[in-house]
Amino acid sequence: MHHPSASPHSDPNADAPATLLPPQTEARFSAMQYESMGKRVYTRICSALMEGQLRPGDRLRIRELAAELGTSITPVRDGVLRLVQDGALTMRSARDIRVAEVTLPEYLEIRDIRLELEGMAAARAAEVATAEDIARMEALIEQNEQALAAGDVLAAISLNQHFHFEYCRIANMPVLLSILERLWLKMGPLIAQCYTAGGRDMIDGHYSLLAAMRNRDSQAARVAVQTDILSGGQVILELKKRSAKAADSADTAQAAAPAAKQARASM
């Protein structure tokens, strides 16, 4: 039987039965959903680390995190493994995952990097900040003071982190900010551990930066941030020195133990 050819304007599939999406298309869509969930979980844990909601040595349980975040175990496990690769978490075993402890050499290296990069960002921010930008910075300091006065240490720690990131955003240096975010995965818990002991040193330097930004003084802004990092970090430095000394003493005692045991046995 002769079938007439379709006209150029007709739809050759007009009478075709409806079909489901090909399996590979469905699979790709599901993968995109999963990846989005995994990214959100990773970002949320990163925020908790940077904002000081966790302390060095804190133990994380995947099932508990999944329940808190309202998701399944798989994206949480993947986010945790990614943070282990980032060096923000340590995995002693599948059931023992903890916030990383920063050693003295690590802290000194991170501090030196922050001095350069945050100093650079502050200098740029002072050059380009608008009145609205400065008002946001001023509001963060005021909110931080209110949190300190109310004894809300968690809020004060979070506001401190937001203050440091805000002048980096004002500087409009996204690559620099992404580098700092990775550093703050380790610094957030450490600052939280020492924030109360740091007292006014943790916030007083913010006023100097604000004044430099109002005056569009880039060099003063750089010095203000660097001074803030050094003065606020003094309590952290002392803690890390004590920890390093205690670790050295423990290593010395452990090394001496076999010799002492052998000496007693020979008596």
Side-chain angles (χ1 to χ4, degrees):
M1 180 182 294
H2 175 69
H3 297 279
S5 59
S7 69
H9 303 291
S10 64
D11 183 358
N13 296 320
D15 297 328
T19 58
L20 297 174
L21 290 172
Q24 63 270 25
T25 306
E26 290 182 346
R28 290 193 188 112
F29 186 68
S30 298
M32 288 174 65
Q33 284 185 321
Y34 170 77
E35 175 63 24
S36 177
M37 178 59 73
K39 184 176 181 179
R40 287 201 297 269
V41 169
Y42 173 79
T43 301
R44 180 63 192 88
I45 301 174
C46 284
S47 295
L49 289 164
M50 289 188 288
E51 293 178 12
Q53 296 174 26
L54 298 165
R55 304 289 193 274
D58 278 359
R59 186 173 179 179
L60 302 181
R61 293 174 173 83
I62 289 177
R63 289 187 181 277
E64 291 180 3
L65 283 172
E68 289 181 32
L69 296 169
T71 185
S72 64
I73 289 174
T74 301
V76 174
R77 182 175 60 240
D78 290 350
V80 164
L81 290 175
R82 186 174 169 186
L83 284 161
V84 170
Q85 293 176 340
D86 290 341
L89 302 178
T90 58
M91 180 178 286
R92 302 177 185 178
S93 71
R95 295 181 178 275
D96 192 355
I97 303 163
R98 297 179 185 269
V99 177
E101 298 274 1
V102 178
T103 65
L104 176 59
E106 286 175 330
Y107 169 67
L108 291 173
E109 182 179 0
I110 292 171
R111 187 189 67 176
D112 287 346
I113 295 170
R114 287 185 64 206
L115 289 171
E116 293 299 324
L117 295 189
E118 292 193 38
M120 183 191 308
R124 178 73 60 84
E127 295 171 356
V128 303
T130 64
E132 291 78 10
D133 293 330
I134 293 173
R136 286 199 310 277
M137 297 287 286
E138 189 173 19
L140 284 170
I141 296 176
E142 183 178 348
Q143 292 167 24
N144 200 339
E145 290 282 16
Q146 291 172 355
L148 289 172
D152 191 346
V153 178
L154 286 177
I157 293 168
S158 177
L159 287 162
N160 174 73
Q161 182 262 337
H162 282 281
F163 180 87
H164 282 272
F165 277 35
E166 187 60 31
Y167 59 77
C168 295
R169 293 190 185 95
I170 292 170
N172 194 24
M173 303 177 76
V175 175
L176 182 150
L177 182 58
S178 68
I179 295 171
L180 287 174
E181 285 174 346
R182 291 180 66 86
L183 295 180
W184 273 77
L185 291 175
K186 292 187 174 184
M187 283 305 305
L190 187 54
I191 290 173
Q193 184 180 26
C194 300
Y195 193 85
T196 301
R200 294 297 308 178
D201 284 340
M202 295 297 194
I203 191 172
D204 281 346
H206 296 182
Y207 289 98
S208 299
L209 173 59
L210 191 62
M213 291 177 67
R214 287 194 182 110
N215 294 329
R216 295 196 176 279
D217 189 334
S218 60
Q219 183 57 29
R222 184 191 300 270
V223 171
V225 163
Q226 291 174 338
T227 302
D228 177 57
I229 292 171
L230 290 172
S231 60
Q234 188 60 36
V235 65
I236 300 175
L237 180 60
E238 292 170 0
L239 172 66
K240 291 291 100 182
K241 285 181 176 179
R242 290 195 301 270
S243 298
K245 185 176 181 179
D248 288 343
S249 298
D251 289 342
T252 300
Q254 186 176 5
K261 183 177 181 180
Q262 184 177 3
R264 289 194 299 270
S266 63
M267 289 180 179

